[in-house]
Amino acid sequence: MPCGAKGKCGKCKVLFHKGAPDPTPSELSALTESELAQGYRLGCQVVLDRDAVVYLRDHGRKPGDRILTTGVTRQVPLCPLITKRFAEVPEPTTEDLRSDVDRVLDSLDVARDESATGLAQVRRMGSVLRESEYKVTGVFAGTDLISLEAGDTTSDCCGVAFDIGTTTLAGYLLDLNTGAQLAVAAAVNPQTRVGEDVISRISHTMQEADGLRHLQSLVVTEMNRLVRKLARQANVSRDRVYEAVIVGNTCMTHLLLRVDPRHLAMAPYVPAFSRSVTLDAAAIGLGISRLGRAHVLPNIAGYVGADTVGAVLATAAHESDSTVLIVDIGTNGEIVLGSRERMLACSTAAGPAFEGAHIKQGMRAAPGAIDAVWMEDGDIRFSTVSNGRPVGICGSGLLDAVVCLR
Ligand code: FES
């Protein structure tokens, strides 16, 4: 629902063949006389109070939705927070009465006073040691022992990176031993059901008693589905995914952490938090290792979020001697200009500009969207997503069309 069911955008048209209700004021202004006469109404405005036969234009998100998950990469030093070490631990004897924790830390070559071991680990350490015949792998977050696993599991050490967009979610599974990307998966952000833009989502949290919890649950459920898909693709257990790094625009990170985003919609548009957040993945219901950690990168401002920080880090613009321009055209579009000396950032609602409310036939890159337009022998040609019957035009098609027709 591009306008959050406010009856303004006209993008939720349905066709009544029988039982059309009287048009509402929104329908009278959003639809033409001819459309109203044919039986068109706005799906978000209709209250069904009689038997009806209704044809729905397909607004559903299908597997054919096109989501960009590839790009150029650059070399970065591999320095994961999570590391693993295997050790054969000496069994206790009357001459060696060290505690299980000290015995393990000594064997793993970790200074006892520099490492914290959680109570959950202390509770299960005795049985893991004895059941594995004292052959164990320690999982460390920095110097803290977060898990002890039976046997040598050092080769299975993964992390997942998420980009939570207003419209799409992308997940990347990485091998923390090598830095290799093992799998990629993407999906439509299920929060689009309650509104296509961040303002509609914020309104939902303010108008519905459980709106914030609902939006958080939608996105985490989809992220967990992606984690399962990534793990299947790479043939690794979700229990061996110990770390998640998450970016998203400021509203998306607020919703993920179930932090009230309402002040993002009110001048002067300040976020509730802007620093990076590290927490137990289980605290937000993320289905990786139950001892895994999640890191949400910092936001820059109310409408320039952690995804922009990710773009700066990925391009190393902040280390550049020359001036660099980064343009991220998503549903929210951000632009960063700068170098190692100074960086400036700003944002605007790019999705609606290219595909949304005021482009009459605009739509996302779903099956049937015109995604490219070109001239050939004096004729206009076009292609559509999934070679479907053309049903609208998405941002790339629109830009092509402007170039062709100028
Ligand atoms: S008019 Fe119905 S969603 Fe915008």
Side-chain angles (χ1 to χ4, degrees):
M1 294 194 174
C3 68
K6 290 195 170 60
K8 287 186 177 160
C9 70
K11 294 281 171 90
C12 61
K13 268 187 262 177
V14 295
L15 179 60
F16 277 78
H17 275 225
K18 191 180 134 198
D22 291 338
T24 63
S26 311
E27 288 168 330
L28 288 171
S29 73
L31 300 173
T32 63
E33 266 180 42
S34 145
E35 286 174 323
L36 290 166
Q38 288 174 63
Y40 280 102
R41 297 289 183 273
L42 298 178
C44 70
Q45 301 295 305
V46 168
V47 179
L48 275 179
D49 58 358
R50 64 197 89 169
D51 288 346
V53 177
V54 187
Y55 286 84
L56 306 178
R57 183 176 152 187
D58 190 355
H59 293 280
R61 314 291 177 231
K62 294 191 195 163
D65 278 11
R66 186 166 292 175
I67 300 172
L68 187 66
T69 54
T70 54
V72 292
T73 55
R74 70 180 179 96
Q75 293 284 329
V76 288
L78 183 61
C79 184
L81 177 70
I82 303 290
T83 53
K84 282 183 155 187
R85 278 183 231 173
F86 171 73
E88 296 195 23
V89 180
E91 294 186 29
T93 62
T94 48
E95 284 76 44
D96 179 1
L97 294 172
R98 287 174 297 168
S99 70
D100 287 342
V101 173
D102 289 349
R103 180 177 306 281
V104 164
L105 291 178
D106 291 348
S107 303
L108 292 170
D109 220 9
V110 177
R112 295 179 194 177
D113 53 358
E114 284 174 13
S115 179
T117 306
L119 182 58
Q121 287 316 305
V122 176
R123 283 181 176 146
R124 54 191 292 277
M125 193 171 284
S127 55
V128 173
L129 271 175
R130 286 155 187 86
E131 283 162 18
S132 65
E133 297 175 337
Y134 291 86
K135 296 181 179 62
V136 289
T137 300
V139 186
F140 293 89
T143 55
D144 293 347
L145 181 65
I146 63 165
S147 183
L148 194 70
E149 298 173 347
D152 185 352
T153 65
T154 46
S155 61
D156 291 336
C157 187
C158 294
V160 65
F162 275 111
D163 181 4
I164 307 177
T166 311
T167 306
T168 55
L169 291 175
Y172 305 81
L173 188 70
L174 301 158
D175 184 330
L176 297 182
N177 287 321
T178 64
Q181 182 174 291
L182 302 176
V184 183
V188 170
N189 185 337
Q191 294 174 344
T192 49
R193 279 179 225 153
V194 299
E196 305 243 341
D197 54 70
V198 294
I199 298 300
S200 307
R201 313 268 172 92
I202 295 171
S203 301
H204 184 75
T205 67
M206 294 164 70
Q207 287 160 5
E208 304 296 324
D210 225 13
L212 182 53
R213 191 177 292 274
H214 175 221
L215 289 177
Q216 199 250 0
S217 150
L218 282 175
V219 74
V220 170
T221 302
E222 193 61 38
M223 289 167 80
N224 286 341
R225 197 183 67 77
L226 289 182
V227 169
R228 290 195 294 276
K229 191 171 174 186
L230 292 167
R232 252 195 329 273
Q233 275 179 35
N235 200 21
V236 299
S237 162
R238 281 187 296 145
D239 294 338
R240 301 288 194 244
V241 182
Y242 302 97
E243 193 173 21
V245 176
I246 301 165
V247 299
N249 64 53
T250 308
C251 180
M252 293 304 112
T253 55
H254 278 56
L255 296 177
L256 174 72
L257 298 177
R258 213 167 354 110
V259 175
D260 187 350
R262 74 180 60 206
H263 299 292
L264 294 174
M266 301 174 200
Y269 313 109
V270 291
F273 67 96
S274 56
R275 296 190 179 197
S276 62
V277 175
T278 294
L279 70 170
D280 291 338
I284 51 170
L286 196 57
I288 59 174
S289 162
R290 68 195 163 78
L291 300 154
R293 308 276 171 105
H295 313 280
V296 179
L297 263 54
N299 295 310
I300 297 171
Y303 285 91
V304 186
D307 49 352
T308 302
V309 175
V312 170
L313 291 174
T315 54
H318 60 302
E319 294 169 355
S320 171
D321 291 325
S322 53
T323 304
V324 174
L325 181 71
I326 301 172
V327 182
D328 177 4
I329 304 177
T331 306
N332 291 303
E334 294 90 10
I335 294 181
V336 179
L337 179 71
S339 65
R340 64 165 68 239
E341 299 295 328
R342 184 183 182 209
M343 307 204 90
L344 301 168
C346 61
S347 69
T348 189
F354 289 109
E355 311 172 341
H358 294 290
I359 307 292
K360 195 160 182 198
Q361 303 301 337
M363 63 180 290
R364 76 177 67 252
I370 294 173
D371 62 345
V373 180
W374 66 95
M375 299 297 291
E376 202 173 290
D377 301 329
D379 276 341
I380 294 180
R381 311 270 178 190
F382 64 87
S383 63
T384 61
V385 174
S386 305
N387 294 320
R389 188 176 63 83
V391 290
I393 187 162
C394 66
S396 59
L398 186 73
L399 286 180
D400 278 358
V402 170
V403 170
C404 287
L405 299 174
R406 90 202 128 115

